[in-house]
C-alpha cells in the first residue's frame, strides 16, 4: 500500500510502498477513507520526540473494516469505524474504572519484539505512531482501537472524532467537568482548541473567551461558541481575561504547547480555578510560577490532560450522535481535503492561517 513515511526528524513526508502483515487473532485491517493532520504528528516529524524512526505517523482515522483476525468480536468486515489510540486493554484496573487513557497494559495492544512486525518499509519493520500509522491507504490495528460509527456520518468528519474532538471537547467535559455558569478561557484555537470551545459551550459555560494570535482563528472560534475574542498579539491575554471575567476564569485551557501560554493559563484564573494543560510541550520545558503567590494562596490547580480523559467507546458514539442532530460542529473543522502527497504543504499552511484541520481524503 501507499503511505507517507518520515525517515528522520525534519526530513518531511515521503511517499513509500509499505507491506502489511496478515492480521493477528485480535487485529483488523481498515481501508482508510479519511485521515486528519494533527499537530502531534507534525511535532514528531520535526523533532522526533524520542519516537523510533523511520515512522508512519497519522492517528486520526476513519474507514471501513476490510479484514478481521479470527478472534475479533467487536467489528465485522464492512463496518464503518473511527480509530482512537486510547483504546485500552479493557481489563486493567484503570480500564475497568472507565479510564482507558490511563491503561496500565497498553503494550498488550501492540505486537511484541519477537513477533513479525505489522508493517514493513522495504525489508525492515517500520513503527506505527500510537499503534495506528494513519497516513496510509490501510491501517492494521488491534480491534480495541476501532469504534463503530453511524453509516450517515461522513468519513472526513468521523476521523476528527478520533483525536481532535475527544482531546479538545473531552478536556472541557471530562477532565475539567465544566458546569453551567463556569467561565472559561481557551488559549490556542486550532483543531483541538476549537473543540475545547464547543465542549465548553455544550457543558453550559457562561463565558468562553478564545485567545489566539490569528484573527481568522478567532473568527472560527466564534462559530464554535466563543463569547469573547482576545488577540494576544494586541494585548496581554492575562489582563484581558481577568477584566472580562471580573477577576479570573474558572478554567483556562492551554492548547498550543508553549511554556509562556501555560503560565498565562495559570495567571488568568480566579481563586480556586484550574489550568488544564493540553498542548504537547517539548521535553525539559519548565514553568516559571511563584508557588506561594500564584498557586497556593489563590488555591489553583494545574492539571496535565491526555486525550481529553476520554473513554472513546462512550464518547465517540456520543459526539457522532450530537453531530448528526446538528448540535456539534464537525463540518467547519475540515478546512481542506488533500491528497496523501500533500502533507508537507498542508502542515506549512497550518502555521500561516485560517486552517482548523486538513484531512487526507485521496490516497
Ligand atoms: N498565543 C495564542 N495563540 C497562539 C500562540 C500564542 N502565543 N501561538 C500559537 N497560537 C495559536 C495558533 O495561531 C493556532 O491557532 O495556537 C493554535 C494551535 O493550533 P494548531 O497548530 O492547529 O494545533 P492543534 O492541532 O490544535 O494542537 C494544539 O494540542 O494535542 C495538542 O499536539 C497538539 O500540542 C498540540 C496542541
Ligand atoms: Zn487497560
Ligand atoms: Zn492528535
Amino acid at each position: 500500500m501507499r503511505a507517507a513515511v518520515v525517515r528522520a526528524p525534519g526530513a518531511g513526508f515521503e511517499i513509500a510502498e509499505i507491506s502489511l502483515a496478515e492480521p493477528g487473532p485480535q487485529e483488523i485491517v481498515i481501508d482508510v477513507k479519511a485521515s486528519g493532520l494533527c499537530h502531534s504528528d507534525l511535532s514528531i516529524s520535526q523533532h522526533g520526540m524520542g519516537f523510533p524512526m523511520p515512522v508512519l505517523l497519522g492517528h486520526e482515522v476513519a474507514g471501513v473494516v476490510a479484514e478481521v483476525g479470527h478472534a475479533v468480536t467487536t467489528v465485522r468486515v464492512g463496518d464503518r469505524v473511527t480509530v482512537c489510540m486510547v483504546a485500552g486493554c479493557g481489563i486493567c484496573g484503570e480500564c475497568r474504572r472507565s479510564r482507558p487513557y490511563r491503561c496500565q497494559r497498553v503494550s498488550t495492544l501492540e505486537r511484541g519484539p519477537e513477533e513479525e512486525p505489522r508493517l514493513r518499509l522495504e525489508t525492515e519493520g517500520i513503527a506505527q505512531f500510537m499503534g495506528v500509522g494513519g497516513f496510509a491507504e490501510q491501517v492494521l490495528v488491534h480491534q480495541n482501537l476501532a469504534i463503530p460509527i453511524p453509516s450517515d456520518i461522513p468519513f472526513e468528519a468521523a476521523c476528527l472524532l478520533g483525536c481532535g474532538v475527544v482531546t479538545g471537547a473531552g478536556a472541557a467535559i471530562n477532565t475539567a467537568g465544566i458546569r453551567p455558569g463556569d467561565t472559561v478561557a481557551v488559549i490556542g484555537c486550532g483543531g483541538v482548541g476549537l473543540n475545547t470551545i464547543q465542549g465548553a459551550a455544550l457543558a453550559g459555560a457562561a463565558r468562553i473567551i478564545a485567545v489566539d494570535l490569528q484573527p481568522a482563528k478567532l473568527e472560527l472560534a466564534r462559530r464554535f461558541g466563543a463569547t469573547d475574542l482576545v488577540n494576544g498579539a494586541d494585548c496581554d491575554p492575562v489582563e484581558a481575561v481577568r477584566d472580562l471575567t471580573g477577576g479570573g476564569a474558572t478554567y483556562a485551557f492551554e492548547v498550543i504547547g508553549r511554556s509562556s501560554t501555560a503560565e498565562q493559563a495559570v495567571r488568568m484564573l480566579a481563586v480556586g480555578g484550574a489550568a488544564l494543560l493540553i498542548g504537547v510541550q517539548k521535553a525539559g520545558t519548565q514553568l516559571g510560577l511563584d508557588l506561594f503567590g500564584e498557586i497556593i494562596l489563590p488555591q489553583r490547580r494545574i492539571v496535565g490532560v491526555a486525550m481529553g480523559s476520554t473513554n472513546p467507546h462512550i464518547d465517540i458514539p456520543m459526539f457522532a450522535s450530537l453531530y448528526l442532530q446538528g448540535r456539534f460542529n464537525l463540518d467547519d473543522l475540515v478546512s481542506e481535503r488533500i491528497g496523501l502527497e500533500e502533507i508537507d504543504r498542508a502542515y506549512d499552511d497550518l502555521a500561516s492561517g485560517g486552517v482548523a484541520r486538513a484531512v487526507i481524503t485521496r490516497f
Side-chain angles (χ1 to χ4, degrees), residues 24-86:
Q26 297 244 47
E27 292 176 343
I28 63 175
V29 176
I30 299 167
D31 287 335
V32 179
K33 300 294 183 190
S35 185
L37 269 58
C38 179
H39 203 113
S40 314
D41 303 294
L42 177 63
S43 305
I44 290 154
S45 77
Q46 288 174 330
H47 310 294
M49 325 255 309
F51 282 87
M53 295 275 165
V55 63
L56 179 49
L57 295 166
H59 59 278
E60 216 177 53
V61 167
V64 178
V65 178
E67 280 178 68
V68 297
H70 66 78
V72 168
T73 54
T74 55
V75 289
R76 278 187 283 202
V77 170
D79 282 358
R80 297 158 66 105
V81 293
T82 287
V83 175
C84 184
M85 63 193 191
V86 282

Side-chain angles (χ1 to χ4, degrees), residues 248-273:
T250 329
Y251 297 106
F253 296 84
E254 199 279 349
V255 208
I256 304 160
R258 302 173 64 94
S259 58
S260 58
T261 43
E263 289 161 4
Q264 287 171 0
V266 174
R267 293 186 174 128
M268 59 179 61
L269 292 174
V271 170

Side-chain angles (χ1 to χ4, degrees), residues 255-326:
V255 208
I256 304 160
R258 302 173 64 94
S259 58
S260 58
T261 43
E263 289 161 4
Q264 287 171 0
V266 174
R267 293 186 174 128
M268 59 179 61
L269 292 174
V271 170
L276 292 104
L277 308 186
I278 301 174
V280 176
Q281 301 278 351
K282 285 205 192 76
T285 305
Q286 313 245 327
L287 289 187
L289 293 165
D290 182 84
L291 263 185
F292 186 66
E294 296 187 305
I295 305 289
I296 296 169
L297 201 60
Q299 304 168 50
R300 291 168 173 154
R301 288 177 296 141
I302 300 177
V303 183
V305 189
M307 292 301 289
S309 313
T310 188
N311 180 344
H313 289 274
I314 303 294
D315 290 346
I316 287 179
M318 174 190 75
F319 287 121
S321 160
L322 290 171
Y323 166 78
L324 292 172
Q325 296 171 48

Side-chain angles (χ1 to χ4, degrees), residues 101 167-184 196 199-206 250-253 272 274-276 278 301 303 305 308-310:
Y101 51 94
T167 299
I173 297 167
N174 303 327
T175 322
I178 291 173
R179 307 267 309 150
D182 287 339
T183 55
V184 172
T196 304
L202 199 60
T250 329
Y251 297 106
F253 296 84
L276 292 104
I278 301 174
R301 288 177 296 141
V303 183
V305 189
S309 313
T310 188

